[in-house]
Structures are given as C-alpha cells and as structure tokens.
Amino acid sequence: MGRLAPHVVACAHATVVMDLQRPDVDMVVWGRRVPATWEGALTSCSQAPSALTLSGTPSEISDSLVNPALQQDWSPLILTDVRDLSALFGALTGGVRQHIQLITPSRGETAFELPPDALRLICAYGSAGPEWCGSQNPKSGIVSALTPFAVAFIKGAAEGKLGCLHRLPENAANGARLGPVLVMDTVSR
C-alpha cells in the first residue's frame, strides 16, 4: 500500500540534508538558526525589490550575484546566502544547472504544487515561510508553515506520482510585509 502523506525529515543541524539520499524521504527541512542581525537587517528593508531570475551552473550563478546592479536592489546578506545555498544545492545535485527565482510573493491565494524536476529548494527571508501539506489533498490535510530562514529541499515527483505539495507563503502575521522567497530548481537538459 502506498504512502498517503509525504515523509518529511526536519532538524536544526545542517547534516539533515544527507537524508535526501533516502528513497523514502520526500522533503528535508534544515531549520537553521541564523544570527539575530539577519532578522533586523531584513525587516528594515523599506520596499521589495523587483524579482530576480537566474539560470546556470553554481559557478555561473555565483558570478552573476556579484553584479553591482543586483547589489543595489537586493540586500548583500540575501545575495550572499543565495550564493551559498546555490553552492550547497550544486553539491547535492552534482552541479547540474539551476533555475533561481528570488521573489516577493503577493498576498492572496496561492496554489499548492509539486516540484517540476529532481529537486527544489525554498527559503523565505521574512515573516512568513512557505507552506507544505501533510496529505495529497490540501483541503482536508494539515498545512504547515516553515519558519523564516529554514531551508526546505523538496524532491520532485514524476507526473501522476505522489509527492510533497507546497506553496509560497500566503499571508504574514499581523499584516506584516511578506519577505522575499528563494525558489531554486534543478534544470532538465
């Protein structure tokens, strides 16, 4: 009998990413602890920059992130973290090409989805984290939110197969501004 819910492993220690090697795991959450200065620096941002989209190998992504125009729009703290997470993602995927989006989601209803390819990374830099569903039916399943700065690694599911449904943050607590969200995917050839 197949599983009715995704198998999720979560831990504050970075070694949790090694659980991605397990075939029975659908999602790994690295609930990393970040310095308090990160929260202060990111909540003081006055406005959300325009979306950033990059594609390439981890080294090409790293080279793109030092562009002075990007550093004017985006916090250097976020760009450095994106570079570091791209390198980690590259190590986990054998250096395949990546598609990176750094976006600020709009408020309102967002649809649950499965990752399109082999692996997806999601990290939120604000007051609300991405959500995932504990069943294949979001209307009847338990929806859980990742904490800000947590890094989720979600395995892709072939069409018609069960996987871990997730979506970008829908709302921030107390009407706070939704912060930027990093979405990183592997790219098929």
Side-chain angles (χ1 to χ4, degrees):
M1 186 165 141
R3 292 179 288 140
L4 299 177
H7 185 177
V8 178
V9 178
C11 183
H13 198 276
T15 58
V16 73
V17 299
M18 299 311 292
D19 282 336
L20 283 169
Q21 297 174 9
R22 294 176 39 193
D24 65 322
V25 171
D26 298 304
M27 180 169 99
V28 169
V29 178
W30 172 25
R32 62 187 178 159
R33 294 183 178 102
V34 298
T37 55
W38 282 33
E39 275 189 54
L42 296 176
T43 56
S44 66
C45 294
S46 59
Q47 60 181 350
S50 57
L52 169 63
T53 303
L54 299 170
S55 290
T57 64
S59 62
E60 291 169 342
I61 299 289
S62 179
D63 290 345
S64 297
L65 290 170
V66 296
N67 180 330
L70 287 181
Q71 293 180 357
Q72 287 179 347
D73 284 346
W74 288 93
S75 160
L77 185 144
I78 291 176
L79 294 177
T80 299
D81 195 51
V82 170
R83 184 198 67 217
D84 294 346
L85 290 174
S86 172
L88 173 61
F89 194 72
L92 294 169
T93 61
V96 300
R97 294 181 61 79
Q98 303 169 357
H99 178 74
I100 293 177
Q101 297 176 80
L102 193 54
I103 56 175
T104 302
S106 57
R107 292 184 187 275
E109 185 69 28
T110 55
F112 279 94
E113 64 180 359
L114 291 170
D117 286 315
L119 190 64
R120 172 172 279 178
L121 178 152
I122 299 180
C123 178
Y125 299 99
S127 57
E131 298 172 331
W132 62 278
C133 185
S135 82
Q136 293 300 305
N137 183 353
K139 292 182 181 179
S140 64
I142 296 172
V143 175
S144 301
L146 299 170
T147 58
F149 308 107
V151 181
F153 298 89
I154 308 167
K155 290 181 181 178
E159 191 171 324
K161 300 287 184 184
L162 299 179
C164 188
L165 294 173
H166 63 282
R167 66 181 174 191
L168 296 181
E170 193 170 34
N171 292 302
N174 302 322
R177 183 177 67 83
L178 289 171
V181 176
L182 171 64
V183 179
M184 193 176 303
D185 289 307
T186 53
V187 176
S188 300
R189 290 185 174 257

